Amino acid sequence: MSRIAPKPGTYPVPEPDLRDGIVSHTLRRVSDSPLDHAVQEARDALIARQDSSGYWLFELEADCTIPAEYIMMMHFLDEIDAALEAKLCRYLRAAQDQHGGWPLYHGGDFNISCSVKAYYALKLAGDDVGAPHMVRARAAILAHGGAASVNVFTRIALALFGQLPWRGVPYIPVEIMLLPRWFAFHVDKVAYWSRTVMVPLFILCTRKPVAKNPRKVHIRELFTTAPEKERDYFRRKGFVAKLFLAADRLGRLIDPLIPASIREKATRRAEAWMLERLNGEDGLGAIFPAMVNALEAMVILGYAADDPRRVTAKRALQKLLVVGPSSAYCQPCVSPIWDTALASLAMQEADDAAASEASTRALDWLQARQLLDEPADWQVKRPGLPGGGWAFQFANSYYPDLDDTAVVVWAMHQARDSARYSGSVRRALDWLVGMQSKNGGFAAFDADNTSYYLNAIPFADHGALLDPPTSDVTARVVTVLARIGRPQDRPALERAIDYLRRQQEADGSWFGRWGTNYIYGTWSVLMAFAQVHSGSADPAVARAVEWLKRKQNPDGGWGESNDTYAHGLGASGHFPSTAYQSAWALLGLLASGEVRSDAVHRGAEFLMRTQQADGLWSDPSFTAPGFPRVFYLRYHGYSAYFPLWALSVYRTLTRRGRSN
């Protein structure tokens, strides 16, 4: 077990060493102006992006399913904004790949579900099926099995438009809302994102409405077998999956026997659940899929177009749009808490008056958004635990995020005037410790959300129904627990460290659930281990450091593709360097005492060399998974604050070593 210090530092202090070679070369470099210039330019550019109220908010881009679904929603409701639709279509056309279809992330392989939705959205908007881009897309879709091969969520969308029969989607009746918590399936047993998507979907899949589809657009040309004749919509393998499919068939048989009074009771319970969590103009769950389902469910339940709740639900979706002069896309959600906390940490490392002032404004803004006594779904598992977390979005009170909470606490505790945040930090730490799962790890939103058998149900072909503990979230919690060092947190901290040690891959890396991928996971854990004084003498740290060094590219940077989520370590070779992944690797190495290494020096040089004229960095690659293998994200802010953070730490440590 690693020794836990009560108030450890974030980074080890290098011993002075002026011998010839790498060390003296590094020390000479940091006395030059380019490093100072790079930090100052990045700092100024980031401050310029700060809102006057104190927060940072960068765009959060997903794959083309989201803008395609926005177009489909407009046609479902027959509420079509022609100008917006035209811009969304330009975005979709521009994102079509050379393989003819649409990938889940920049440079990714063809994805059948994303491609079918994009094709249908374009056709709904009026694109001619004979146009070259539509011909290419159709050929690619048919070559990959046709529209019957799409995932469950896409099949449900197509069923709502009458493009395939309802037997092609899982049986998910609204009566699920009446099941007791001890039952094999209950909404409280799945992740927050799953339950907020599913509850309004129960209403839709029970009522089985047909989209208004004013132009009566179909996509029968995308099926290799006519959809009504297709017999192979469910292709899950394994005993548990077959058991659930049998239950699915049984449910369809008894569905006509369900009394109308029971159906009405279940519908009202689902409706009440949804309305209670509607979340104003931030939307149900503050995530796009749940928000779309909620709006469409309201329409099916008879809410008038001018009903304030329906108007608000639609406004929540509109606020996710990013509209430019010629094109537009829709974000899956927004990330102000996450962006603000991470940017604040970067400012603190820049460590000057302007950066400190910007960080303080940000932390004051964050402090006012702590969730304390509000009702929340996590309380089902932890009914006596006082609140204290932060959400990911501007507002999402039912679903605070442990990862965001840990980063906010980190920034508050590291602030120059940390005493002003002491009450917030205490409440947050109490909540974090109370949310530890049985295996010692921490998940994003819930504790012990580990009913893994549910991933075999027909609805869960995406494999992302649950929110189990992960190394990256656990590492963030370990970082703040060890950094602050409260005696009462020690047992939880010990268990979390044990969890992280068990999760290390054979090659020395850690899997990154919420960032791409092994570089992200490894950086996260190395930062945590630095807090508990697990330096290079720790075998786990040594293996991780060597793994990072092996993955460095000849240009000095690091890169990793989202392909590693589909193919695991077999795909974790060398990929083109990115600024944000290079920053993660640098931070991990610096935290492990590698300030003098050639790898660190070359990594810093890469960041300085690739900095743009505006002081920031940019890369088209997608930076994180929403759900591995299913849904990916591009945090535009990652190329702004992570490189600044890394270069600032590099500057501090190298100069500290020179002055000792």
Side-chain angles (χ1 to χ4, degrees), residues 18 80 176 188 303 353 384 412 422 445 548 561 584 626 633-634:
L18 301 179
I80 302 169
I176 290 174
D188 290 336
Y303 286 68
M412 286 182 168
S422 59
F445 300 95
L548 282 174
S561 167
W584 295 338
L633 303 166
R634 180 188 173 198

Side-chain angles (χ1 to χ4, degrees), residues 4-15:
I4 300 174
K7 289 186 179 295
T10 305
Y11 301 94
V13 178
E15 294 294 331

Side-chain angles (χ1 to χ4, degrees), residues 21 32 41 144 233 249 266 270 327 367 382 398 404 408 422 442 490 555 589 603:
D32 296 339
E41 289 292 310
H144 286 83
Y233 282 112
R249 287 191 289 270
S327 70
Q367 187 175 36
R382 299 290 187 268
Y398 271 82
D404 282 81
V408 172
S422 59
F442 293 85
R490 187 182 181 97
D555 63 6
L589 291 173

Side-chain angles (χ1 to χ4, degrees), residues 338 402-407 410 432 436 440-444 469-483 492-493 495-501 503 510-514 519-532:
W338 187 241
L402 277 75
D403 212 0
D404 282 81
T405 300
V407 176
W410 183 354
L432 286 171
Q436 188 170 32
F442 293 85
T470 64
S471 295
D472 43 351
V473 177
T474 303
R476 225 87 62 210
V477 178
V478 166
T479 296
V480 298
L481 294 183
R483 181 180 184 83
L493 180 55
R495 293 177 57 227
I497 294 170
D498 284 344
Y499 169 85
L500 290 176
R501 292 190 182 281
Q503 293 299 308
W510 276 271
F511 179 83
R513 164 60 181 88
W514 295 101
I519 295 175
Y520 181 87
T522 303
W523 156 68
S524 300
V525 177
L526 287 178
M527 294 289 284
F529 278 9
Q531 296 296 327
V532 296

Side-chain angles (χ1 to χ4, degrees), residues 425-583:
V425 167
R426 176 185 56 79
R427 284 289 296 264
L429 290 177
D430 290 346
W431 182 71
L432 286 171
V433 170
M435 292 295 289
Q436 188 170 32
S437 290
K438 293 175 183 176
N439 64 4
F442 293 85
F445 300 95
D446 279 298
D448 297 314
N449 193 253
T450 53
S451 299
Y452 292 108
Y453 63 88
L454 291 177
N455 279 330
I457 68 175
F459 182 82
D461 65 349
H462 58 307
L465 203 66
L466 305 174
D467 178 25
T470 64
S471 295
D472 43 351
V473 177
T474 303
R476 225 87 62 210
V477 178
V478 166
T479 296
V480 298
L481 294 183
R483 181 180 184 83
I484 298 172
R486 301 191 310 177
Q488 66 265 39
D489 298 336
R490 187 182 181 97
L493 180 55
E494 295 280 5
R495 293 177 57 227
I497 294 170
D498 284 344
Y499 169 85
L500 290 176
R501 292 190 182 281
R502 294 195 305 271
Q503 293 299 308
Q504 189 172 23
E505 304 284 346
D507 67 356
S509 66
W510 276 271
F511 179 83
R513 164 60 181 88
W514 295 101
T516 305
N517 172 350
Y518 295 100
I519 295 175
Y520 181 87
T522 303
W523 156 68
S524 300
V525 177
L526 287 178
M527 294 289 284
F529 278 9
Q531 296 296 327
V532 296
H533 287 188
S534 288
S536 57
D538 185 327
V541 172
R543 292 200 308 275
V545 166
E546 288 307 309
W547 181 83
L548 282 174
K549 289 180 177 179
R550 289 198 305 273
K551 295 303 174 183
Q552 189 172 25
N553 287 325
D555 63 6
W558 284 263
E560 183 177 349
S561 167
N562 287 300
D563 292 348
T564 58
Y565 287 107
H567 307 294
L569 292 171
S572 60
H574 288 269
F575 298 96
S577 298
T578 67
Y580 61 93
Q581 288 169 322
S582 298

Side-chain angles (χ1 to χ4, degrees), residues 5 21 81 101 116 134 140 182 188 227 234 254 320 339 422 463 502 528 531 535 576 581 623 637 644 647 652:
D81 180 334
V116 168
M134 297 292 277
W182 55 260
D188 290 336
F234 298 97
I254 66 173
L320 294 177
D339 285 334
S422 59
R502 294 195 305 271
Q531 296 296 327
Q581 288 169 322
T623 61
L644 169 61
L647 287 178
T652 297

